[in-house]
Amino acid sequence: GESVGLHLPTLSVQEGDNSIINCAYSNSASDYFIWYKQESGKGPQFIIDIRSNMDKRQGQRVTVLLNKTVKHLSLQIAATQPGDSAVYFCAETDNFNKFYFGSGTKLNVKP
Amino acid sequence: GAGVSQSPRYKVAKRGQDVALRCDPISGHVSLFWYQQALGQGPEFLTYFQNEAQLDKSGLPSDRFFAERPEGSVSTLKIQRTQQEDSAVYLCASSPVTGGQMGAFFGQGTRLTVV
């Protein structure tokens, strides 16, 4: 099956700094990607998505970058806040019905 | 409530027992997904419904797992003869559109522990 993985299992950043979370995927046919945030004891929460016909998409304090050539996805969080502490997952699909999630990156924001 | 509701929140089952996990999606949502999340791992796809039709069940790990959504709203995930490897958090998600375009809204999950 498809493989969606993350380079760094844990990322620690200082409050106010920018965070970058990376994700690699293996299915070149994937055409839709989502970043989710999961806090302890809760279900994943949608952050931002991007389609394969784009290479960048911006939201509020977050930016997703997609490099299809190397099958790499990143999530940038500007001015990281303590409330951003969570586990972040990337998810991919090639049919919009079945999503493959990575194993997650834990983001620790130090005050 | 306004979100996806799952019950029970926690379930302890003896090995060999049957369990039923319930998902109440957001009202009017067309799509419904079930995922299994092992400790420290990302969610793994189990099955997808569009209204009452189960369009993809390729992620169900064995024939002990069965899901239904008979009226296109509430869904139940049933696990027969539970085994220790079934211990996980079972997540339900719903979406207002067909498929997972625009992402999906997840419930808090049901934590199943098989002893």
Side-chain angles (χ1 to χ4, degrees), chain A residues 32 34 36 38 41-46 49 51 89 95-104, chain B residues 9 33 35 37 40-43 45 48 56 58-59 91 99-104 106-108:
Chain A
Y32 181 60
I34 301 176
Y36 283 96
Q38 187 173 29
K42 297 184 178 180
Q45 177 186 1
F46 174 93
D49 61 354
R51 300 210 176 197
F89 295 98
N95 67 5
F96 292 97
N97 294 345
K98 185 173 185 177
F99 283 80
Y100 294 90
F101 282 71
S103 56
Chain B
R9 186 82 172 86
F33 307 83
Y35 286 85
Q37 186 173 25
Q41 300 294 319
F45 173 86
Y48 164 66
D56 190 333
S58 62
L91 295 164
Q101 305 169 65
M102 299 167 50
F106 279 81
Q108 288 188 302

Side-chain angles (χ1 to χ4, degrees), chain A residues 42-87:
Chain A
K42 297 184 178 180
Q45 177 186 1
F46 174 93
I47 301 173
I48 192 168
D49 61 354
I50 190 167
R51 300 210 176 197
S52 60
N53 60 353
M54 303 172 69
D55 53 20
K56 180 179 180 179
R57 189 158 190 230
Q58 288 184 293
Q60 187 175 12
R61 283 202 306 118
V62 294
T63 300
V64 55
L65 299 177
L66 175 62
N67 185 330
K68 295 181 289 294
T69 302
V70 296
K71 295 198 285 271
H72 184 268
L73 195 68
S74 69
L75 175 70
Q76 300 178 0
I77 304 174
T80 314
Q81 302 169 0
D84 295 327
S85 293
V87 177

Side-chain angles (χ1 to χ4, degrees), chain A residues 24-42:
Chain A
Y25 64 95
S26 60
N27 183 9
S28 56
S30 290
D31 56 6
Y32 181 60
F33 305 85
I34 301 176
W35 279 101
Y36 283 96
K37 171 187 180 182
Q38 187 173 29
E39 297 173 283
S40 181
K42 297 184 178 180

Side-chain angles (χ1 to χ4, degrees), chain B residues 8-10 13 15 22 25 30-31 33-34 36 41 43 47 49 52 54 56-57 60 68 80 82 89 97-98 105 107:
Chain B
R9 186 82 172 86
Y10 302 93
R15 190 168 49 186
R22 177 186 170 105
V30 170
S31 296
F33 307 83
W34 282 99
Q36 179 190 60
Q41 300 294 319
T47 187
F49 289 87
E52 70 278 3
Q54 189 175 22
D56 190 333
K57 57 180 180 179
L60 296 176
E68 61 182 3
Q80 297 178 321
T82 52
V89 174
V97 298
T98 57
F105 297 85

Side-chain angles (χ1 to χ4, degrees), chain B residues 12-31:
Chain B
V12 178
K14 291 184 178 179
R15 190 168 49 186
Q17 184 180 353
D18 297 349
V19 298
L21 312 180
R22 177 186 170 105
C23 173
D24 285 81
I26 295 173
S27 179
H29 276 201
V30 170
S31 296

